[in-house]
Amino acid sequence: WTHATSWDVGPFVRCDKGTYKAVSGPAGCKACPECSTTTKVGATAAKECVADQGCEGKGFGWEIGFAMCPLGTWKNWVGNGQCDPCPADVDMRLPAAKTCRPAHAAEE
């Protein structure tokens, strides 16, 4: 729960999806690292940040993190894991793909 300016008066709200707050007090919610989000509102720890669509990762912590799907791969779900390769007949030229579709289709 957070309030942007005061811990003495409400309204207090849960942190939005993609943010978390691990400490009590008037400080605001912190954004998850780039290429990650949370699966629900009200996250209370950085470890609740998981890889977003178009991104892969193992989680938030020491020497692990999140990155955009490499060229030629895709991921259309939220959660930690690797991006899947696109089929061989698809010419992917876009990083962080949420779907495999030919490059000419993405330009239209």
Side-chain angles (χ1 to χ4, degrees):
W1 295 91
T2 190
H3 188 279
T5 59
S6 171
W7 197 241
D8 297 323
V9 285
F12 300 104
V13 295
R14 294 176 187 255
C15 292
D16 290 333
K17 208 171 184 184
T19 65
Y20 67 94
K21 184 173 178 189
V23 297
S24 59
C29 301
K30 292 184 178 183
C32 288
E34 184 175 350
C35 229
S36 69
T37 188
T38 58
T39 58
K40 60 182 174 129
V41 298
T44 58
K47 68 182 180 182
E48 292 184 64
C49 298
V50 296
D52 205 351
Q53 292 181 345
C55 300
E56 62 183 5
K58 296 180 181 178
F60 186 68
W62 184 252
E63 293 188 36
I64 56 176
F66 310 99
M68 293 188 320
C69 289
L71 291 175
T73 65
W74 69 291
K75 185 170 152 278
N76 68 347
W77 47 276
V78 172
N80 294 331
Q82 292 184 319
C83 300
D84 295 316
C86 290
D89 63 339
V90 176
D91 179 22
M92 283 298 299
R93 296 184 194 151
L94 303 172
K98 297 175 189 173
T99 184
C100 283
R101 60 183 183 191
H104 64 77
E107 296 167 3
E108 295 174 357

